[in-house]
Amino acid sequence: MSEQESFKGFLEKLCELDKQKQIDLLVWREFSGSIRILLDTIYTRQIRMGYLIEQLPDPENRVELSETLTDNLGLPRPKLTYRVREDYVRNAFVSAKDISTKLFDALGAREYTKAPPAPVFYGDKREVTSNNFEYQGNNFTFYGAGHIVGTYRMGDCKDTSVVNPRQQSWDHSNLFLVGSGVFPTVATGNPTLTLAALAFQAADHVLADLKAC
């Protein structure tokens, strides 16, 4: 029996046990060394490539308050609208897939990429997909980067933003809203440095206002 077959049998046995016994067995297996050896054997010979694809700003992509759904406190739940509308973005997915295949071929490596399922937009909620799309005969999947930005956007017009360019509330002059929530849109890079720069800028404005009092 190969190590892979042995490990598969171990996982099947693990699924049959209750939580505490699973923990006990995992601890024993870890100290036995076989998991470490198997992972060292597999994962040191794998690579994963991911692509950061920039999306053009779309005013229809937004976060609103739901008119029908509330949380346990009776407060409106967030309603998210998000779409990939532009061929500019879709073409980037095609290019990324093409580059990946060429890189694997150049390395002489086996590609384990699995084609995503076809997108499902309507019907059973358990089957509806939120991050799949079809383009040029191929299915693609996208994932968020985990950058929490927006919802109290900064702008130069009270009708279309929450804070002004000073990150000062349009409605309350003594209220500054500082953070990545002021971003009107975001690119693919990490927002941390821009966020820090905006925080320093807001602090300067607050100090200037205090000195003027």
Side-chain angles (χ1 to χ4, degrees):
M1 180 183 294
S2 68
E3 284 190 89
Q4 285 80 3
E5 291 172 333
S6 175
F7 188 57
K8 181 180 178 182
F10 166 73
L11 291 178
E12 291 174 349
K13 180 179 179 181
L14 188 67
C15 293
E16 298 173 356
L17 303 175
D18 61 42
K19 186 174 181 181
Q20 185 56 52
K21 289 183 179 179
Q22 286 179 349
I23 295 173
D24 294 341
L25 186 56
L26 283 171
V27 170
W28 172 83
R29 186 83 178 194
E30 172 62 25
F31 282 105
S32 71
S34 55
I35 284 184
R36 179 184 56 78
I37 294 171
L38 186 60
L39 294 179
D40 285 347
T41 301
I42 295 175
Y43 286 105
T44 56
R45 290 170 172 79
Q46 292 183 346
I47 63 170
R48 177 188 177 275
M49 290 183 290
Y51 295 86
L52 302 180
I53 295 174
E54 183 176 24
Q55 184 175 4
L56 299 176
D58 185 344
E60 297 303 317
N61 287 341
R62 58 181 63 197
V63 180
E64 303 171 279
L65 295 178
S66 173
E67 298 177 352
T68 58
L69 300 177
T70 58
D71 61 16
N72 292 334
L73 297 176
L75 300 174
R77 290 183 178 274
K79 174 185 175 182
L80 278 68
T81 301
Y82 179 78
R83 299 181 181 91
V84 177
R85 293 176 181 267
E86 314 89 356
D87 285 346
Y88 168 84
V89 180
R90 299 187 183 103
N91 288 330
F93 278 84
V94 174
S95 298
K97 177 63 177 70
D98 181 57
I99 291 172
S100 294
T101 299
K102 288 179 179 177
L103 285 172
F104 282 121
D105 290 342
L107 290 169
R110 180 183 300 176
E111 184 175 359
Y112 287 94
T113 303
K114 294 182 179 180
V120 179
F121 301 112
Y122 305 101
D124 190 333
K125 291 183 178 180
R126 294 170 296 180
E127 299 178 359
V128 171
T129 57
S130 59
N131 59 339
N132 287 7
F133 69 93
E134 186 274 335
Y135 185 62
Q136 295 185 358
N138 294 303
N139 296 326
F140 297 93
T141 298
F142 60 87
Y143 302 94
H147 301 152
I148 311 301
V149 299
T151 69
Y152 53 93
R153 61 185 295 165
M154 175 171 54
D156 55 9
C157 177
K158 182 178 181 179
D159 296 331
T160 57
S161 58
V162 178
V163 298
N164 61 26
R166 304 172 83 239
Q167 301 169 76
Q168 181 182 31
S169 168
W170 288 107
D171 297 321
H172 305 282
S173 61
N174 64 336
L175 175 63
F176 284 77
L177 300 172
V178 181
S180 57
V182 304
F183 287 26
T185 185
V186 64
T188 58
N190 294 332
T192 308
L193 293 179
T194 304
L195 192 160
L198 287 170
F200 282 122
Q201 181 199 62
D204 289 340
H205 290 312
V206 171
L207 290 173
D209 289 352
L210 290 174
K211 290 178 180 178
C213 290

